[in-house]
Amino acid sequence: MRYLPLDEITEDMCLARPIFSGDGRILLSNGVKLTEKYLARLKEMGYQNLYVYRDGEEVNDFSTPISDQTMREAIQGVKDAFGKAALRQRLNTRNVSEIVGYILEEILTNPTVLYNLMDIKNHGNYYYHHSINVCVISTLIAKEMGFSRDKLKDLATGALLHDLGMVCVDPKILTQPRPLSEEETAAVREHTNYGFQLLRMERDLSILVAHTAWQHHERMDGSGYPKGLVGDGIHLFGRIVAVADSYETMTSGRVYKKAMWSHEAIRQLKESAPEKYDPEVVAAMSRSVASYPVGSVVVLNTHEQAVVVDVNARKITIQFATGPRVNALMELEPDSDVKIEERLS
Ligand SMILES: [Fe+2]
Protein backbone atom coordinates (compact mmCIF):
# COMPACT_ATOMS: atom_id res chain seq x y z
CA MET A 1 0.00 0.00 0.00
CA ARG A 2 1.34 3.43 -0.93
CA TYR A 3 0.31 6.98 -0.21
CA LEU A 4 0.43 8.63 -3.62
CA PRO A 5 -0.54 11.99 -5.12
CA LEU A 6 -3.50 11.69 -7.49
CA ASP A 7 -1.45 12.35 -10.63
CA GLU A 8 0.86 9.39 -9.88
CA ILE A 9 -2.07 6.97 -9.59
CA THR A 10 -2.67 4.77 -12.62
CA GLU A 11 -5.66 2.70 -13.68
CA ASP A 12 -4.10 -0.58 -12.53
CA MET A 13 -4.35 0.62 -8.92
CA CYS A 14 -7.04 0.05 -6.29
CA LEU A 15 -8.07 2.06 -3.25
CA ALA A 16 -6.43 0.72 -0.06
CA ARG A 17 -8.23 2.90 2.51
CA PRO A 18 -11.84 4.03 2.32
CA ILE A 19 -12.85 7.59 1.50
CA PHE A 20 -15.60 8.93 3.77
CA SER A 21 -18.18 11.42 2.59
CA GLY A 22 -18.89 14.57 4.59
CA ASP A 23 -21.62 12.82 6.58
CA GLY A 24 -19.60 9.78 7.57
CA ARG A 25 -20.79 7.42 4.85
CA ILE A 26 -18.27 5.51 2.76
CA LEU A 27 -17.90 7.27 -0.56
CA LEU A 28 -15.48 4.72 -2.03
CA SER A 29 -14.46 1.56 -0.23
CA ASN A 30 -11.26 -0.47 -0.11
CA GLY A 31 -10.55 -2.51 -3.21
CA VAL A 32 -12.32 -0.23 -5.70
CA LYS A 33 -10.41 0.00 -8.97
CA LEU A 34 -9.43 3.61 -9.58
CA THR A 35 -10.66 4.29 -13.07
CA GLU A 36 -9.89 7.52 -14.86
CA LYS A 37 -13.46 8.66 -14.15
CA TYR A 38 -13.11 8.13 -10.39
CA LEU A 39 -9.74 9.85 -10.34
CA ALA A 40 -11.06 12.88 -12.24
CA ARG A 41 -14.04 13.15 -9.86
CA LEU A 42 -11.85 12.84 -6.75
CA LYS A 43 -9.51 15.53 -8.08
CA GLU A 44 -12.50 17.77 -8.71
CA MET A 45 -13.63 17.19 -5.12
CA GLY A 46 -10.28 18.44 -3.85
CA TYR A 47 -8.56 15.18 -2.86
CA GLN A 48 -4.80 15.37 -3.32
CA ASN A 49 -3.47 11.99 -2.15
CA LEU A 50 -4.87 8.48 -1.74
CA TYR A 51 -3.78 5.15 -0.30
CA VAL A 52 -3.50 2.70 -3.17
CA TYR A 53 -2.11 -0.69 -4.12
CA ARG A 54 -1.48 -2.37 -7.42
CA ASP A 55 -4.17 -4.83 -8.47
CA GLY A 56 -3.11 -8.28 -7.23
CA GLU A 57 -0.61 -6.92 -4.67
CA GLU A 58 -1.00 -8.16 -1.09
CA VAL A 59 -1.99 -5.49 1.44
CA ASN A 60 -0.56 -6.03 4.92
CA ASP A 61 -2.71 -5.51 7.99
CA PHE A 62 -1.63 -2.77 10.34
CA SER A 63 -3.21 -1.27 13.40
CA THR A 64 -4.63 2.25 13.44
CA PRO A 65 -5.43 4.32 16.56
CA ILE A 66 -9.17 4.14 15.81
CA SER A 67 -11.17 1.74 13.65
CA ASP A 68 -13.00 2.81 10.48
CA GLN A 69 -16.27 2.18 12.32
CA THR A 70 -15.35 4.64 15.10
CA MET A 71 -14.11 7.11 12.50
CA ARG A 72 -17.48 6.92 10.72
CA GLU A 73 -19.47 7.41 13.92
CA ALA A 74 -17.18 10.23 14.98
CA ILE A 75 -17.65 12.03 11.64
CA GLN A 76 -21.43 11.80 12.08
CA GLY A 77 -21.22 13.01 15.69
CA VAL A 78 -18.95 15.96 14.92
CA LYS A 79 -21.10 16.92 11.94
CA ASP A 80 -24.17 16.86 14.19
CA ALA A 81 -22.41 18.98 16.85
CA PHE A 82 -21.26 21.57 14.29
CA GLY A 83 -24.75 21.62 12.75
CA LYS A 84 -26.45 22.20 16.11
CA ALA A 85 -23.93 24.88 17.11
CA ALA A 86 -24.52 26.66 13.78
CA LEU A 87 -28.22 26.86 14.66
CA ARG A 88 -27.31 27.89 18.23
CA GLN A 89 -28.98 24.73 19.54
CA ARG A 90 -27.75 22.72 22.50
CA LEU A 91 -25.30 19.94 21.58
CA ASN A 92 -26.17 16.28 21.97
CA THR A 93 -23.61 15.90 24.76
CA ARG A 94 -24.54 12.26 25.34
CA ASN A 95 -23.58 11.47 21.78
CA VAL A 96 -20.34 13.48 22.07
CA SER A 97 -19.43 11.65 25.26
CA GLU A 98 -20.20 8.28 23.65
CA ILE A 99 -17.87 9.04 20.71
CA VAL A 100 -15.10 10.21 23.03
CA GLY A 101 -15.63 6.98 24.99
CA TYR A 102 -15.12 4.84 21.86
CA ILE A 103 -11.99 6.79 20.87
CA LEU A 104 -10.49 6.45 24.37
CA GLU A 105 -11.36 2.77 24.57
CA GLU A 106 -9.58 1.98 21.31
CA ILE A 107 -6.51 4.09 22.08
CA LEU A 108 -6.11 2.79 25.63
CA THR A 109 -6.39 -0.88 24.68
CA ASN A 110 -3.59 -0.62 22.11
CA PRO A 111 -0.49 0.42 24.08
CA THR A 112 2.02 0.67 21.21
CA VAL A 113 -0.21 2.29 18.60
CA LEU A 114 1.00 5.50 16.96
CA TYR A 115 -0.81 8.08 14.87
CA ASN A 116 0.33 6.37 11.70
CA LEU A 117 -1.89 7.40 8.79
CA MET A 118 -2.14 10.57 6.84
CA ASP A 119 -5.81 11.39 6.66
CA ILE A 120 -7.68 11.52 3.38
CA LYS A 121 -9.84 14.62 3.48
CA ASN A 122 -10.97 17.42 1.20
CA HIS A 123 -12.38 20.91 1.78
CA GLY A 124 -15.93 19.53 2.12
CA ASN A 125 -15.19 17.39 5.19
CA TYR A 126 -12.03 19.15 6.39
CA TYR A 127 -13.26 20.32 9.80
CA TYR A 128 -14.87 17.01 10.78
CA HIS A 129 -11.78 14.95 9.95
CA HIS A 130 -9.48 17.61 11.40
CA SER A 131 -11.43 17.65 14.70
CA ILE A 132 -11.28 13.87 15.05
CA ASN A 133 -7.58 13.69 14.18
CA VAL A 134 -6.74 16.44 16.69
CA CYS A 135 -8.75 14.51 19.28
CA VAL A 136 -6.84 11.28 18.53
CA ILE A 137 -3.42 12.96 18.54
CA SER A 138 -4.17 14.92 21.74
CA THR A 139 -5.32 11.72 23.45
CA LEU A 140 -2.16 9.87 22.38
CA ILE A 141 -0.01 12.74 23.71
CA ALA A 142 -1.87 12.87 27.03
CA LYS A 143 -1.73 9.08 27.40
CA GLU A 144 2.04 9.35 26.89
CA MET A 145 2.11 12.05 29.60
CA GLY A 146 0.35 9.70 32.04
CA PHE A 147 -3.10 11.34 32.28
CA SER A 148 -5.82 9.60 34.27
CA ARG A 149 -8.90 8.37 32.39
CA ASP A 150 -11.09 11.19 33.76
CA LYS A 151 -8.63 13.85 32.65
CA LEU A 152 -8.25 12.14 29.27
CA LYS A 153 -11.99 12.31 28.75
CA ASP A 154 -12.20 16.08 29.30
CA LEU A 155 -9.10 16.69 27.19
CA ALA A 156 -10.38 14.50 24.34
CA THR A 157 -13.76 16.27 24.42
CA GLY A 158 -12.08 19.69 24.30
CA ALA A 159 -9.86 18.50 21.44
CA LEU A 160 -12.82 17.10 19.49
CA LEU A 161 -14.71 20.40 19.79
CA HIS A 162 -11.73 22.80 19.70
CA ASP A 163 -12.81 24.41 16.40
CA LEU A 164 -16.56 24.42 17.11
CA GLY A 165 -16.50 28.24 17.03
CA MET A 166 -15.75 28.04 13.30
CA VAL A 167 -19.51 27.72 12.77
CA CYS A 168 -19.78 31.43 13.68
CA VAL A 169 -17.22 32.49 11.03
CA ASP A 170 -18.47 33.46 7.56
CA PRO A 171 -18.19 30.23 5.50
CA LYS A 172 -17.14 32.28 2.47
CA ILE A 173 -13.89 33.10 4.27
CA LEU A 174 -13.26 29.47 5.27
CA THR A 175 -13.58 28.14 1.73
CA GLN A 176 -11.28 30.68 0.07
CA PRO A 177 -8.79 28.82 -2.14
CA ARG A 178 -6.04 31.33 -1.25
CA PRO A 179 -4.22 32.75 1.81
CA LEU A 180 -6.47 35.13 3.78
CA SER A 181 -6.27 38.93 4.02
CA GLU A 182 -5.53 40.60 7.36
CA GLU A 183 -9.19 41.37 7.94
CA GLU A 184 -10.26 37.81 7.10
CA THR A 185 -7.57 36.39 9.38
CA ALA A 186 -8.91 38.52 12.25
CA ALA A 187 -12.42 37.19 11.57
CA VAL A 188 -11.21 33.56 11.61
CA ARG A 189 -9.31 34.14 14.86
CA GLU A 190 -12.61 34.96 16.55
CA HIS A 191 -13.47 31.24 16.40
CA THR A 192 -11.62 30.79 19.70
CA ASN A 193 -13.90 33.28 21.49
CA TYR A 194 -17.02 31.89 19.80
CA GLY A 195 -16.02 28.33 20.71
CA PHE A 196 -15.62 29.33 24.37
CA GLN A 197 -19.01 31.06 24.41
CA LEU A 198 -20.79 28.10 22.81
CA LEU A 199 -19.16 25.44 24.99
CA ARG A 200 -19.40 27.19 28.33
CA MET A 201 -23.21 27.09 27.99
CA GLU A 202 -23.09 23.28 27.90
CA ARG A 203 -23.64 22.38 31.54
CA ASP A 204 -22.96 18.66 30.94
CA LEU A 205 -19.42 19.37 29.74
CA SER A 206 -16.50 20.28 31.98
CA ILE A 207 -15.66 24.00 31.83
CA LEU A 208 -12.17 22.83 30.77
CA VAL A 209 -13.67 21.81 27.42
CA ALA A 210 -14.64 25.44 26.78
CA HIS A 211 -11.21 26.66 27.94
CA THR A 212 -9.45 24.21 25.61
CA ALA A 213 -11.34 25.65 22.62
CA TRP A 214 -10.53 29.16 23.88
CA GLN A 215 -6.80 28.57 24.33
CA HIS A 216 -5.72 26.23 21.51
CA HIS A 217 -4.14 29.08 19.50
CA GLU A 218 -2.23 30.58 22.45
CA ARG A 219 1.56 30.26 22.21
CA MET A 220 4.13 29.96 25.02
CA ASP A 221 5.81 33.32 24.24
CA GLY A 222 2.54 35.25 24.25
CA SER A 223 2.37 35.57 20.46
CA GLY A 224 -0.85 33.54 20.19
CA TYR A 225 -4.51 34.58 20.39
CA PRO A 226 -7.09 35.53 21.54
CA LYS A 227 -5.54 36.71 24.81
CA GLY A 228 -1.78 36.44 24.28
CA LEU A 229 -1.40 34.21 27.37
CA VAL A 230 2.16 33.20 28.32
CA GLY A 231 3.73 29.86 29.45
CA ASP A 232 1.90 28.15 32.31
CA GLY A 233 -0.81 30.81 32.02
CA ILE A 234 -2.07 28.56 29.20
CA HIS A 235 -3.85 25.50 30.62
CA LEU A 236 -2.06 22.20 29.88
CA PHE A 237 -5.08 21.08 27.79
CA GLY A 238 -4.64 24.20 25.63
CA ARG A 239 -0.89 23.50 25.27
CA ILE A 240 -1.57 19.90 24.20
CA VAL A 241 -4.28 20.76 21.67
CA ALA A 242 -2.05 23.56 20.29
CA VAL A 243 0.60 20.97 19.39
CA ALA A 244 -1.87 18.39 18.04
CA ASP A 245 -3.73 21.04 16.00
CA SER A 246 -0.50 22.45 14.54
CA TYR A 247 0.79 18.99 13.60
CA GLU A 248 -2.51 18.06 11.95
CA THR A 249 -2.74 21.37 10.08
CA MET A 250 0.88 21.20 8.88
CA THR A 251 0.46 17.68 7.52
CA SER A 252 -2.87 18.46 5.76
CA GLY A 253 -2.71 19.94 2.29
CA ARG A 254 -5.05 22.78 1.36
CA VAL A 255 -5.73 24.02 -2.14
CA TYR A 256 -3.14 26.79 -1.79
CA LYS A 257 -0.71 25.02 0.50
CA LYS A 258 1.25 21.79 0.10
CA ALA A 259 1.15 19.38 3.05
CA MET A 260 4.34 18.80 5.05
CA TRP A 261 5.57 15.27 5.65
CA SER A 262 5.13 14.00 9.18
CA HIS A 263 8.87 13.98 9.94
CA GLU A 264 9.15 17.59 8.73
CA ALA A 265 6.23 18.73 10.90
CA ILE A 266 7.73 16.98 13.95
CA ARG A 267 11.08 18.68 13.27
CA GLN A 268 9.44 22.09 12.89
CA LEU A 269 7.44 21.72 16.11
CA LYS A 270 10.62 20.69 17.97
CA GLU A 271 12.39 23.75 16.60
CA SER A 272 9.50 25.96 17.74
CA ALA A 273 9.75 24.76 21.35
CA PRO A 274 10.02 26.25 23.91
CA GLU A 275 9.22 29.62 22.22
CA LYS A 276 5.85 28.61 20.78
CA TYR A 277 5.07 25.16 22.18
CA ASP A 278 5.51 23.38 25.51
CA PRO A 279 8.65 21.22 25.03
CA GLU A 280 7.29 18.41 27.22
CA VAL A 281 4.16 18.22 25.06
CA VAL A 282 6.21 18.29 21.86
CA ALA A 283 8.41 15.46 23.19
CA ALA A 284 5.32 13.37 24.01
CA MET A 285 3.89 14.16 20.55
CA SER A 286 7.06 13.00 18.83
CA ARG A 287 6.71 9.65 20.64
CA SER A 288 3.02 9.42 19.68
CA VAL A 289 3.00 10.06 15.93
CA ALA A 290 4.87 8.11 13.28
CA SER A 291 7.68 10.03 11.54
CA TYR A 292 7.10 7.82 8.51
CA PRO A 293 3.45 6.72 8.50
CA VAL A 294 2.22 3.53 6.85
CA GLY A 295 2.26 3.89 3.06
CA SER A 296 5.29 6.24 2.97
CA VAL A 297 7.60 5.54 0.02
CA VAL A 298 11.16 6.10 1.26
CA VAL A 299 14.79 5.93 0.15
CA LEU A 300 17.17 4.05 2.48
CA ASN A 301 20.84 4.71 3.20
CA THR A 302 21.48 1.58 1.09
CA HIS A 303 19.97 3.52 -1.90
CA GLU A 304 17.11 0.99 -2.11
CA GLN A 305 13.51 2.23 -2.11
CA ALA A 306 10.96 0.79 0.28
CA VAL A 307 7.37 1.23 1.48
CA VAL A 308 6.49 1.49 5.18
CA VAL A 309 4.00 -1.33 5.82
CA ASP A 310 3.64 -1.11 9.61
CA VAL A 311 4.81 1.13 12.39
CA ASN A 312 4.48 1.12 16.17
CA ALA A 313 6.18 2.66 19.17
CA ARG A 314 9.10 0.21 18.90
CA LYS A 315 9.83 -0.37 15.23
CA ILE A 316 9.07 0.41 11.61
CA THR A 317 8.44 -2.46 9.19
CA ILE A 318 9.41 -1.77 5.57
CA GLN A 319 9.02 -3.73 2.37
CA PHE A 320 11.73 -3.27 -0.26
CA ALA A 321 10.40 -1.83 -3.53
CA THR A 322 13.64 -1.89 -5.54
CA GLY A 323 16.99 -3.72 -5.56
CA PRO A 324 17.90 -7.37 -4.93
CA ARG A 325 15.65 -7.60 -1.84
CA VAL A 326 12.51 -6.44 -3.65
CA ASN A 327 9.31 -7.46 -1.77
CA ALA A 328 11.27 -8.67 1.29
CA LEU A 329 10.20 -7.29 4.66
CA MET A 330 12.60 -5.77 7.20
CA GLU A 331 12.06 -4.42 10.70
CA LEU A 332 13.91 -1.19 11.44
CA GLU A 333 14.71 -0.47 15.07
CA PRO A 334 16.38 2.73 16.30
CA ASP A 335 19.84 1.08 16.26
CA SER A 336 19.47 -0.73 12.90
CA ASP A 337 22.20 -0.15 10.28
CA VAL A 338 19.56 0.43 7.63
CA LYS A 339 18.05 3.88 7.99
CA ILE A 340 15.48 5.98 6.17
CA GLU A 341 17.11 8.92 4.42
CA GLU A 342 14.34 10.54 2.44
CA ARG A 343 10.61 10.31 1.83
CA LEU A 344 9.47 10.28 -1.79
CA SER A 345 5.68 10.10 -1.36
FE1 LIG B 1 -8.52 26.56 15.66
Side-chain angles (χ1 to χ4, degrees), residues 189 192-193 214-235 275-276:
R189 288 181 167 198
T192 47
N193 288 320
W214 204 12
Q215 296 187 1
H216 73 277
H217 286 287
E218 298 288 0
R219 295 295 178 259
M220 297 295 278
D221 59 0
S223 63
Y225 60 88
K227 293 176 83 178
L229 300 174
V230 178
D232 288 353
I234 310 166
H235 190 277
E275 290 79 19
K276 304 290 176 199

Side-chain angles (χ1 to χ4, degrees), residues 127 130 162-164 166 188-189 191-192 213 216-217 225 241 245 249:
Y127 279 104
H130 171 72
H162 74 282
D163 268 343
L164 190 72
M166 284 294 187
V188 172
R189 288 181 167 198
H191 78 280
T192 47
H216 73 277
H217 286 287
Y225 60 88
V241 176
D245 178 35
T249 306

Side-chain angles (χ1 to χ4, degrees), residues 131-199:
S131 302
I132 297 159
N133 296 337
V134 170
C135 172
V136 169
I137 300 165
S138 299
T139 305
L140 287 165
I141 294 173
K143 182 183 86 166
E144 185 67 27
M145 295 177 81
F147 274 39
S148 68
R149 199 189 163 100
D150 279 353
K151 257 172 95 180
L152 274 178
K153 188 164 193 267
D154 287 341
L155 168 77
T157 310
L160 190 68
L161 301 173
H162 74 282
D163 268 343
L164 190 72
M166 284 294 187
V167 300
C168 304
V169 178
D170 182 351
K172 274 201 249 82
I173 300 180
L174 298 179
T175 49
Q176 285 301 337
R178 54 164 174 78
L180 302 180
S181 69
E182 223 171 277
E183 203 178 313
E184 288 166 333
T185 303
V188 172
R189 288 181 167 198
E190 277 303 303
H191 78 280
T192 47
N193 288 320
Y194 294 137
F196 177 67
Q197 296 302 343
L198 290 166
L199 288 165

